[in-house]
Amino acid sequence: MTEKKPHVAVIGGGLVGALNACFLAKRNFKVDVYERRDDIRKAEHVKGRSINLALSTRGRTALRMVGLEEEVLKNGIPMHARMIHGVDGSRNPILYGKEDQYIMSVDRRRLNEVLLSAAEDNPNVTCYFEHKVVRCDFTTGEVEFINKEGKKVQNKVDLIVGNDGAFSAVRKEMMRATLLDFQQEYIPHGYMELTIPPSPKDEFQMEVNYLHIWPRNEYMMIALPNLDKSFTCTLFMPFDIFASIKTEEDLMRFFRDKFPDAIPLMGEETLKQIYMSSKPLPMVSIKCSPYHVKDKGVIMGDAAHAMVPFYGQGMNAGFEDCIVLDEMLDKYNNDFAKALPAYSEFRKVDDHAICDLAMYNYVEMRKSVNSKLFLMRKKLDNLLFTIFPSSWVPLYTMVAFTRTRYHECIEKRKHQDEILNKVLYIGGVILFGSLAVSVVQILNQNGVSIHSLKDHFTQLWEAYF
Amino acid sequence: MTEKKPHVAVIGGGLVGALNACFLAKRNFKVDVYERRDDIRKAEHVKGRSINLALSTRGRTALRMVGLEEEVLKNGIPMHARMIHGVDGSRNPILYGKEDQYIMSVDRRRLNEVLLSAAEDNPNVTCYFEHKVVRCDFTTGEVEFINKEGKKVQNKVDLIVGNDGAFSAVRKEMMRATLLDFQQEYIPHGYMELTIPPSPKDEFQMEVNYLHIWPRNEYMMIALPNLDKSFTCTLFMPFDIFASIKTEEDLMRFFRDKFPDAIPLMGEETLKQIYMSSKPLPMVSIKCSPYHVKDKGVIMGDAAHAMVPFYGQGMNAGFEDCIVLDEMLDKYNNDFAKALPAYSEFRKVDDHAICDLAMYNYVEMRKSVNSKLFLMRKKLDNLLFTIFPSSWVPLYTMVAFTRTRYHECIEKRKHQDEILNKVLYIGGVILFGSLAVSVVQILNQNGVSIHSLKDHFTQLWEAYF
């Protein structure tokens, strides 16, 4: 006797949607993917969203599980360290972890194309483009779309999966169907993408295997390498600063002041041309709970937890969502009525934790990478990591290079902070003690006895009190 | 030369919308009120939403400013105190403030009718019912509605005011037009309205001038008096408890256990009939920021800040919003480009504060009114209020009986708490000191000298160490 294949509608054919289709098809589900926009593989130009992304362990693990890690990696560029650019033009690297630990710069569009093609290679998957969700019924499983001809089309499925990004239509429909706690917060910063082209000799103009950072407190610029030997730069600034830079003169004055070394790399004319024709884009942090409705609907990726981009974990967290759902479907033998609430309950704390970490890094990354204390802490962290490789894992390493649950990363870091504070305190006491002993020794060597000092202090004391 | 009257669309003809229309019409604006539902004055039965409300100083002040206080008060019932019902049937009053301070139980529907009629009495106001907003353009001021015939109709105005409640359509449109921080949180409790009818002799069955409370920690019931000598009871419980009470037997067992004195008042059959045919309703807390878009849109009342009902300030806060907008329009001479951001900035902190206070009382009201410590604190508060009437105003009094800005109420309460803690600490030290002195005196009177005691303790000490 053959059971009927579960039929799933994956809403959204972006990174998480396409990967999720691979996961669900592998379970032998019948999967229909509905994407609002046209097929990215046919598009001449893709607008909005960042050009490249930092792929780390969680994302790689998910890709490996659907057999795509190799293919994605061969088109990526390893980044072993941050490269900090000072205002004076200095460049200082800070390793991400150990020598062999690196994150990968990957091209968003290429990755999306690989994922979509892999999904479609599976006979269980059908992709529909230019289909916009207008209604979901989480009791019957009916979904209604408007297609590219402007006509209404319907489908009826066993499960509606919302992988449709931060402004998810599926989530909006869920909010009509269930009591959904929801929170969205915009940060005062916007971002704009600029570019550093290859050199005239078609070479990278900066050290290639790094994520370049220009930390300037209120402002920050980063640059990731591309396969074509260019770098994509992202400039983060408060919207009101963007608005205050109105003319090409304003722009050059600002760049000469804050990012002088980037001007010759970008080329003054190109910089002016791109800046003047672009608008800064907003960044939003979104949390909600629960992620499911009954046994018929679930949201994942940015639809469930959009985050500010400062931990480089948005895509990685979304990819890990696919692993977690897959594990829950295993555990509950594809029983959606059990797997969906279990997924929601299990994953919520971790998604909320990475949203918080990203928001924390929003401040940390601009400010701290500039500070001596931050560098000392990084060095101390890495030293302890070398001595105790299994028990003292730095926060960034846990987040980027392990699959330790995000909320546990935060807990472990708190625990480390407590220990470090104690160590620093004890260290301080020992240091102060040694100092005192040295002083006494020096005094002794100079013929001053400790007893005469004591008498002296006693006399002083008695004279005053 | 006559200036053109500003033309305003008030979306929502509920309590805040109708009052706001009165305020704006008084400024000589041309006001169109659009209500999604039918005219409440013609409806036979109004479903959803609570039947009666507690009107306090902020709401009364707003009504006074548009000349409606008298008319509303004559149909209200003063409540001077809470009446606490124990499980044993005991009833104990706790005053709201001083003897002459009371809140008013008013009928929601009647109040809405009074406000709508008052608005329409002004030749500047036109009301449109069964008009549902489908689109707002905050650049042009165009608003599109679907009317009762299902046809699209448009209007173009200088200002779109969203007074359309917690699930505001105007707010949704604002979220498409501007970067709006937004948060909604459902609490685990639901509510259900029950009733205590008049006695056979057509009299109130309980003390009339009270807000009756049955605090039971996880559960709570309250009752407000109506002009027809009935009481409207509201039962608050976690949804899962509501769900666990499935049969009439479950219900009666539960009521006999938790609210035994209410059964004969409600009548067993009526209680069963209402409970079995009703569904518990959810409660949501909503915060957002900012409240305006450009010089064309603003949201107020529940549309901007829905709160849980446990401070009885939802309507009062919404009415006070109307005062604050009126003041800002005065201050900036009807210049919307200045008045709207100023309103948003000024009012946000207070609305957020009252949402927080309401959420705090969600716990406080169920638990604390049961506790001796809470009662002692109330008495101490009231004592200090009597001694220092201008400087020691209890929190509830500030919120319900003054127009002290909500966020200042919280700050003042924190300050009071600090003082009280210090006083209690000093009091404790003095108490302990006096106690010690008394002990020594008693010992002396019994021929035991303090020195022999000291010797005794010294011997003990030395024997052990």
Side-chain angles (χ1 to χ4, degrees):
Chain A
M1 197 183 103
T2 50
E3 267 187 33
K4 192 179 154 282
K5 276 187 194 180
H7 184 185
V8 180
V10 171
I11 312 301
L15 298 174
V16 178
L19 176 67
N20 216 3
C22 296
F23 268 96
L24 295 167
K26 215 177 141 217
R27 303 191 72 78
N28 205 25
F29 289 4
K30 174 169 158 48
V31 182
D32 293 327
V33 178
Y34 291 93
E35 166 59 41
R36 194 168 52 81
R37 284 165 294 196
D38 198 1
D39 190 341
I40 198 171
R41 292 166 296 186
K42 296 180 190 163
E44 276 193 31
H45 178 71
V46 181
K47 62 176 184 171
R49 305 309 300 272
S50 64
I51 291 165
N52 43 21
L53 297 155
L55 178 67
S56 51
T57 296
R58 293 165 208 268
R60 285 177 61 167
T61 310
L63 291 170
R64 191 180 315 137
M65 289 172 78
V66 295
L68 294 172
E69 189 186 17
E70 286 298 308
E71 189 174 348
V72 172
L73 287 197
K74 76 177 185 222
N75 288 314
I77 300 173
M79 300 182 289
H80 292 270
R82 310 160 186 88
M83 180 67 86
I84 307 301
H85 292 241
V87 184
D88 59 1
S90 64
R91 295 184 192 180
N92 291 297
I94 306 174
L95 279 178
Y96 274 121
K98 300 189 171 180
E99 286 293 341
D100 60 343
Q101 290 180 318
Y102 55 88
I103 57 178
M104 294 289 287
S105 173
V106 295
D107 183 88
R108 174 190 286 270
R109 179 178 176 164
R110 190 189 297 260
L111 178 57
N112 206 156
E113 290 173 353
V114 167
L115 289 168
L116 272 177
S117 297
E120 277 195 332
D121 280 349
N122 190 312
N124 285 326
V125 176
T126 316
C127 292
Y128 300 87
F129 295 93
E130 296 182 78
H131 275 66
K132 186 183 161 195
V133 169
V134 288
R135 199 179 56 82
C136 299
D137 185 324
F138 298 102
T139 306
T140 62
E142 286 169 322
V143 200
E144 196 173 285
F145 305 91
I146 301 226
N147 68 12
K148 66 174 161 185
E149 286 88 29
K151 284 192 184 142
K152 281 192 180 170
V153 288
Q154 283 204 346
N155 198 350
K156 191 176 168 184
V157 294
D158 301 310
L159 178 63
I160 303 163
V161 180
N163 289 152
D164 49 347
F167 301 99
S168 171
V170 176
R171 188 184 65 226
K172 282 185 192 123
E173 289 297 291
M174 270 178 61
M175 287 172 86
R176 296 157 51 97
T178 192
L179 305 183
L180 198 88
D181 290 344
F182 174 77
Q183 194 179 339
Q184 75 176 34
E185 186 187 349
Y186 287 92
I187 56 172
H189 280 60
Y191 74 94
M192 185 187 281
E193 289 191 334
L194 303 167
T195 191
I196 293 177
S199 73
K201 289 185 185 166
D202 201 32
E203 284 167 354
F204 281 107
Q205 289 202 69
M206 301 187 296
E207 300 83 348
V208 56
N209 293 117
Y210 294 87
L211 193 157
H212 294 261
I213 308 183
W214 290 254
R216 301 290 183 268
N217 297 324
E218 271 305 274
Y219 324 106
M220 180 173 74
M221 190 162 69
I222 64 169
L224 277 78
N226 298 313
L227 277 185
D228 68 0
K229 297 178 180 169
S230 68
F231 285 87
T232 304
C233 304
T234 313
L235 174 61
F236 299 94
M237 304 199 294
F239 277 102
D240 49 5
I241 304 284
F242 273 114
S244 72
I245 299 173
K246 292 194 180 94
T247 66
E248 296 188 345
E249 292 67 43
D250 293 344
L251 177 67
M252 294 321 297
R253 200 177 309 120
F254 176 77
F255 258 76
R256 276 194 294 271
D257 189 33
K258 301 290 177 192
F259 311 107
D261 66 334
I263 300 174
L265 301 172
M266 292 177 166
E268 196 168 319
E269 288 314 308
T270 316
L271 169 59
K272 284 177 185 167
Q273 186 258 316
I274 298 181
Y275 185 95
M276 289 298 153
S277 61
S278 307
K279 270 191 175 174
L281 297 170
M283 284 166 283
V284 69
S285 182
I286 289 177
K287 288 181 189 174
C288 65
S289 166
Y291 294 154
H292 74 291
V293 192
K294 300 173 188 167
D295 61 343
K296 286 283 191 297
V298 66
I299 47 174
M300 299 159 71
D302 281 4
H305 49 80
M307 64 195 76
V308 293
F310 304 101
Y311 226 108
Q313 284 290 311
M315 171 186 65
N316 290 289
F319 281 10
E320 198 176 45
D321 288 350
C322 300
I323 303 180
V324 175
L325 182 65
D326 196 54
E327 286 169 349
M328 290 298 170
L329 290 170
D330 269 352
K331 187 171 174 185
Y332 294 104
N333 203 17
N334 294 341
D335 181 347
F336 299 149
K338 287 179 184 154
L340 302 190
Y343 169 79
S344 188
E345 195 58 28
F346 181 90
R347 191 60 179 159
K348 192 174 66 182
V349 284
D350 294 316
D351 290 335
H352 288 192
I354 189 61
C355 284
D356 290 343
L357 278 174
M359 193 59 94
Y360 174 74
N361 238 30
Y362 163 48
V363 179
E364 176 99 350
M365 203 169 167
R366 283 176 293 142
K367 293 202 175 145
S368 307
V369 288
N370 261 340
S371 89
K372 291 238 167 70
L373 208 67
F374 174 81
L375 296 175
M376 266 179 60
R377 166 73 201 235
K378 284 271 169 214
K379 279 182 186 160
L380 189 56
D381 251 1
N382 286 333
L383 179 71
L384 288 164
F385 185 31
T386 311
I387 304 171
F388 311 107
S390 64
S391 61
W392 194 283
V393 186
L395 180 61
Y396 188 88
T397 302
M398 280 190 279
V399 171
F401 303 122
T402 77
R403 284 201 55 220
T404 307
R405 292 183 64 183
Y406 287 124
H407 86 277
E408 286 173 7
C409 295
I410 293 184
E411 279 166 19
K412 285 185 180 171
R413 167 61 172 237
K414 276 186 192 152
H415 183 60
Q416 289 174 2
D417 280 344
E418 281 166 20
I419 294 176
L420 218 55
N421 281 337
K422 277 182 200 158
V423 169
L424 288 174
Y425 177 76
I426 294 167
V429 168
I430 293 172
L431 188 74
F432 186 79
S434 334
L435 220 70
V437 169
S438 314
V439 168
V440 170
Q441 281 175 344
I442 293 165
L443 290 173
N444 266 332
Q445 283 161 12
N446 290 286
V448 185
S449 94
I450 184 78
H451 292 290
S452 73
L453 266 183
K454 192 185 148 198
D455 291 346
H456 180 69
F457 282 120
T458 310
Q459 278 166 23
L460 262 178
W461 180 266
E462 283 173 353
Y464 282 97
F465 299 97
Chain B
M1 198 183 101
T2 52
E3 267 187 34
K4 191 179 153 284
K5 275 186 194 180
H7 184 184
V8 180
V10 171
I11 313 301
L15 298 174
V16 178
L19 176 67
N20 216 2
C22 296
F23 267 95
L24 296 167
K26 214 176 141 216
R27 303 191 72 78
N28 205 25
F29 288 6
K30 174 168 157 50
V31 182
D32 293 326
V33 178
Y34 292 93
E35 166 59 39
R36 193 168 53 83
R37 283 165 295 195
D38 197 1
D39 190 341
I40 198 172
R41 292 167 295 185
K42 295 179 190 164
E44 275 194 31
H45 177 70
V46 180
K47 62 175 182 172
R49 305 309 300 272
S50 63
I51 292 165
N52 43 23
L53 297 155
L55 178 68
S56 52
T57 296
R58 294 166 207 265
R60 284 176 62 168
T61 309
L63 291 169
R64 191 180 316 136
M65 288 172 77
V66 294
L68 293 173
E69 189 185 17
E70 287 297 309
E71 189 175 346
V72 172
L73 288 197
K74 78 178 182 217
N75 289 314
I77 300 174
M79 299 182 288
H80 292 270
R82 311 160 186 88
M83 180 67 85
I84 308 301
H85 292 241
V87 184
D88 59 1
S90 64
R91 295 184 191 179
N92 292 297
I94 306 173
L95 278 179
Y96 274 119
K98 300 190 172 179
E99 286 292 340
D100 60 343
Q101 291 180 318
Y102 55 87
I103 57 178
M104 293 289 285
S105 173
V106 295
D107 182 86
R108 175 190 285 270
R109 179 176 177 166
R110 188 191 300 260
L111 177 57
N112 205 158
E113 290 174 353
V114 166
L115 288 167
L116 272 177
S117 296
E120 277 196 331
D121 280 349
N122 190 310
N124 286 326
V125 177
T126 317
C127 292
Y128 300 87
F129 295 93
E130 295 180 78
H131 274 66
K132 186 185 161 192
V133 170
V134 287
R135 199 179 56 82
C136 299
D137 185 323
F138 298 102
T139 307
T140 62
E142 285 168 323
V143 200
E144 197 172 285
F145 305 89
I146 301 226
N147 69 12
K148 65 176 162 183
E149 286 88 28
K151 284 192 183 143
K152 280 192 180 172
V153 288
Q154 283 206 345
N155 197 351
K156 192 176 168 183
V157 294
D158 301 309
L159 178 63
I160 303 163
V161 180
N163 290 151
D164 49 347
F167 301 98
S168 170
V170 176
R171 187 183 66 224
K172 282 187 192 121
E173 290 296 291
M174 272 178 61
M175 287 173 85
R176 296 155 53 96
T178 192
L179 305 184
L180 198 87
D181 290 344
F182 174 76
Q183 193 179 344
Q184 74 176 34
E185 186 188 349
Y186 287 92
I187 56 172
H189 279 61
Y191 74 94
M192 185 187 282
E193 290 192 331
L194 304 168
T195 189
I196 292 177
S199 72
K201 288 185 186 166
D202 201 33
E203 285 168 351
F204 281 106
Q205 288 203 69
M206 300 188 297
E207 301 82 349
V208 57
N209 293 117
Y210 296 87
L211 193 157
H212 294 262
I213 308 184
W214 291 257
R216 300 291 183 271
N217 298 323
E218 271 301 282
Y219 324 105
M220 180 173 73
M221 190 164 70
I222 64 169
L224 277 77
N226 297 312
L227 277 186
D228 68 0
K229 296 179 180 170
S230 67
F231 285 87
T232 303
C233 304
T234 312
L235 175 61
F236 298 94
M237 305 200 293
F239 278 103
D240 49 6
I241 304 286
F242 272 114
S244 73
I245 299 173
K246 292 193 179 97
T247 65
E248 295 189 346
E249 291 68 45
D250 293 343
L251 177 67
M252 293 320 298
R253 200 177 310 120
F254 176 76
F255 258 76
R256 275 193 296 270
D257 188 33
K258 300 291 176 192
F259 312 107
D261 65 334
I263 300 175
L265 301 173
M266 292 176 164
E268 197 169 317
E269 287 315 307
T270 315
L271 168 58
K272 285 177 186 170
Q273 185 259 315
I274 299 181
Y275 185 94
M276 289 298 152
S277 61
S278 308
K279 270 191 175 177
L281 298 170
M283 285 166 283
V284 68
S285 183
I286 289 176
K287 289 181 188 173
C288 66
S289 166
Y291 293 153
H292 74 292
V293 192
K294 301 174 187 166
D295 60 344
K296 286 284 191 298
V298 66
I299 46 175
M300 300 158 71
D302 279 5
H305 50 79
M307 65 195 77
V308 293
F310 304 101
Y311 226 108
Q313 284 291 311
M315 170 185 66
N316 290 288
F319 281 11
E320 198 177 45
D321 287 349
C322 300
I323 303 179
V324 175
L325 181 66
D326 196 54
E327 287 169 350
M328 290 298 170
L329 290 170
D330 269 352
K331 186 171 174 184
Y332 294 103
N333 203 18
N334 294 341
D335 180 348
F336 298 148
K338 288 180 182 153
L340 301 192
Y343 169 78
S344 189
E345 195 58 30
F346 181 90
R347 190 60 179 160
K348 192 173 67 182
V349 284
D350 294 316
D351 289 335
H352 288 192
I354 189 61
C355 284
D356 291 342
L357 277 175
M359 193 60 94
Y360 174 73
N361 239 30
Y362 163 48
V363 179
E364 177 98 350
M365 203 170 167
R366 284 176 293 142
K367 293 200 175 143
S368 309
V369 288
N370 261 341
S371 88
K372 291 238 168 66
L373 210 67
F374 173 81
L375 296 175
M376 266 178 61
R377 167 72 201 238
K378 283 271 167 213
K379 279 182 186 159
L380 189 57
D381 251 2
N382 287 332
L383 178 71
L384 287 163
F385 186 31
T386 311
I387 303 171
F388 311 108
S390 64
S391 61
W392 194 283
V393 186
L395 179 61
Y396 187 89
T397 302
M398 281 190 279
V399 171
F401 302 122
T402 78
R403 283 202 54 222
T404 306
R405 291 183 65 184
Y406 287 125
H407 85 277
E408 287 173 5
C409 295
I410 293 184
E411 280 166 17
K412 285 185 180 172
R413 169 58 174 241
K414 276 185 193 151
H415 183 62
Q416 289 174 1
D417 280 344
E418 282 165 20
I419 294 176
L420 217 55
N421 281 338
K422 277 182 200 156
V423 168
L424 288 175
Y425 178 75
I426 295 167
V429 168
I430 293 172
L431 188 73
F432 186 78
S434 333
L435 219 70
V437 169
S438 311
V439 167
V440 170
Q441 281 175 343
I442 291 165
L443 290 172
N444 266 333
Q445 283 161 11
N446 290 283
V448 185
S449 94
I450 185 78
H451 293 290
S452 72
L453 267 182
K454 192 187 149 198
D455 291 347
H456 180 70
F457 283 121
T458 311
Q459 279 166 23
L460 263 179
W461 180 265
E462 283 171 353
Y464 283 97
F465 298 98

